[in-house]
């Protein structure tokens, strides 16, 4: 299967796509520009930008409207009118930034970090509760990346990119994430970036620098590969009226754009299976 281009190369470092009916379409981030991009509908419309800070790491809808956003050193809240309130920084170091996140079935927002120089073990995975409390739920991470939950919410899939592994945790409200173990190792020395889960429990993983998206069955068997006409595939999500279109972001970071001219464009694949509605932030 091959993905189709639906925008020009509009992002330097496109990441974190998410579909929400309350937005009327797709949002994703141009992470290092600090911008949230919006594509109304699911193709053919003008992409708009909203600058939220020096880094826009991840975005998810809020139950009451607006969005929760991972920014350089913590979190921000977008109100329904589009205004942004940045919360107090979670850490002081300017050498570490937020990178990717998602909401759990109980409406808590997780966002993980990475060092700008990718120092091994310098990063963590944080959780923002609806009341504003922030906890570290995983430390010793290098490049905290894709995160999503199984359809029934009992499992969470997670990537620390340099490990080459997709991990799986057990999940419940009281314990949070527990029992970490390996779900799959990306074949051929590949490294996982963003991920999403479909309604059948399949796990779709962007393999960075290989120009592909892998789908793994719940038993870990690789059963689908989507080719993307840009090498640095960063993340994917389900969207469209029936949540059956897989949107794929790409990046120009460290890419020779003369040789890879579609880097930074948004792509879509018709994959024949629906996704799960985006879980919103309860705060």
């Amino acid at each position: 299967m091959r993905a189709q281009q639906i925008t020009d190369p509009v992002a330097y470092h496109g990441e974190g796509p998410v579909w929400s009916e309350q937005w009327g379409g797709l949002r994703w981030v141009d992470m290092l520009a600090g911008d949230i991009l919006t594509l109304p509908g699911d193709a053919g419309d003008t992409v708009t930008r909203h600058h939220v800070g020096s880094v826009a790491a991840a975005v998810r809808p809020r139950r009451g409207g607006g969005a929760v956003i991972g920014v350089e050193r913590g979190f921000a809240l977008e109100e329904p009118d589009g205004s942004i309130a940045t919360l107090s920084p979670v850490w002081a170091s300017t050498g570490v930034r937020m990178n990717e996140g998602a909401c759990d079935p109980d409406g808590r927002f997780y966002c993980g970090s990475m060092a700008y120089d990718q120092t091994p073990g310098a990063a963590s995975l944080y959780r923002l509760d609806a009341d504003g409390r922030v906890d570290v739920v995983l430390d010793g991470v290098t490049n905290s990346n894709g995160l999503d939950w199984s359809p029934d919410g009992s499992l969470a899939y997670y990537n620390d990119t340099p490990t080459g592994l997709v991990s799986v945790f057990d999940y419940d409200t009281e314990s949070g994430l527990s029992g970490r173990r390996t779900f799959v190792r990306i074949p051929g020395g590949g490294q996982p970036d963003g991920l999403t889960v479909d309604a059948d429990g399949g796990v779709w993983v962007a393999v960075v620098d290989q120009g592909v998206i892998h789908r793994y069955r719940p038993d870990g068997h690789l059963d689908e590969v989507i080719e993307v006409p840009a090498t640095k595939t960063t993340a994917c999500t389900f969207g469209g009226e029936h949540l059956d279109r897989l949107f794929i972001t790409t990046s120009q970071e460290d890419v020779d754009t003369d040789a890879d001219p579609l880097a930074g464009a948004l792509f879509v694949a018709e994959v024949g299976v629906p996704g799960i509605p985006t879980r919103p932030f309860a705060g």
Side-chain angles (χ1 to χ4, degrees):
M1 186 181 299
R2 189 168 177 85
Q4 303 300 312
Q5 179 187 2
I6 57 172
T7 74
D8 292 333
V10 293
Y12 173 71
H13 186 48
E15 269 278 12
V18 59
W19 179 277
S20 174
E21 286 295 334
Q22 73 184 50
W23 295 333
L26 187 81
R27 286 187 176 184
W28 70 108
V29 298
D30 191 351
M31 187 179 290
L32 302 178
D35 293 344
I36 294 173
L37 308 183
T38 301
L39 182 71
D42 57 10
D45 294 303
T46 301
V47 175
T48 60
R49 286 181 176 265
H50 185 190
H51 187 68
V52 298
S54 57
V55 168
V59 59
R60 287 294 185 277
R62 296 169 69 186
R63 287 179 183 169
V68 60
I69 306 163
V71 292
E72 185 174 33
R73 288 187 285 151
F75 301 97
L77 297 176
E78 180 192 70
E79 298 300 331
D81 65 3
S83 61
I84 303 289
T86 302
L87 307 184
S88 298
V90 176
W91 62 84
S93 171
T94 58
V96 176
R97 65 167 174 83
M98 284 295 198
N99 191 57
E100 177 64 292
C103 290
D104 70 23
D106 296 292
R108 300 174 292 194
F109 181 56
Y110 295 65
C111 202
S113 63
M114 62 174 286
Y116 279 100
D117 64 4
Q118 300 199 40
T119 299
S124 299
L125 179 63
Y126 299 87
R127 186 184 71 208
L128 175 67
D129 291 0
D131 63 3
R133 173 175 170 169
V134 177
D135 289 300
V136 176
V137 297
L138 190 65
D139 57 17
V141 175
T142 298
N143 184 348
S144 188
N145 231 309
L147 175 66
D148 202 2
W149 276 257
S150 61
D152 67 0
S154 67
L155 299 173
Y157 299 93
Y158 172 74
N159 297 332
D160 182 1
T161 295
T163 67
L165 304 174
V166 180
S167 298
V168 59
F169 293 84
D170 297 313
Y171 176 81
D172 65 55
T173 302
E174 296 303 318
S175 302
L177 304 178
S178 63
R180 184 179 184 177
R181 55 208 180 269
T182 297
F183 173 59
V184 296
R185 179 180 291 277
I186 304 298
Q191 295 189 333
D193 201 320
L195 66 79
T196 193
V197 178
D198 66 37
D200 292 337
V203 182
W204 299 77
V205 183
V207 183
V208 70
D209 295 329
Q210 290 193 6
V212 294
I213 306 292
H214 286 180
R215 182 189 191 263
Y216 295 92
R217 295 192 316 221
D219 64 4
H221 177 78
L222 175 62
D223 72 349
E224 183 69 75
V225 176
I226 298 175
E227 297 178 353
V228 181
T231 302
K232 196 163 188 176
T233 44
T234 55
C236 54
T237 197
F238 286 91
E241 182 181 358
H242 304 292
L243 292 181
D244 58 355
R245 312 187 77 207
L246 189 73
F247 292 90
I248 301 162
T249 53
T250 64
S251 174
Q252 298 179 3
E253 186 182 25
D254 300 323
V255 171
D256 178 355
T257 54
D258 290 331
D260 196 354
L262 298 185
L266 180 73
F267 298 84
V268 70
E270 312 293 340
V271 296
V273 61
I276 303 166
T278 299
R279 296 179 173 98
F281 178 54

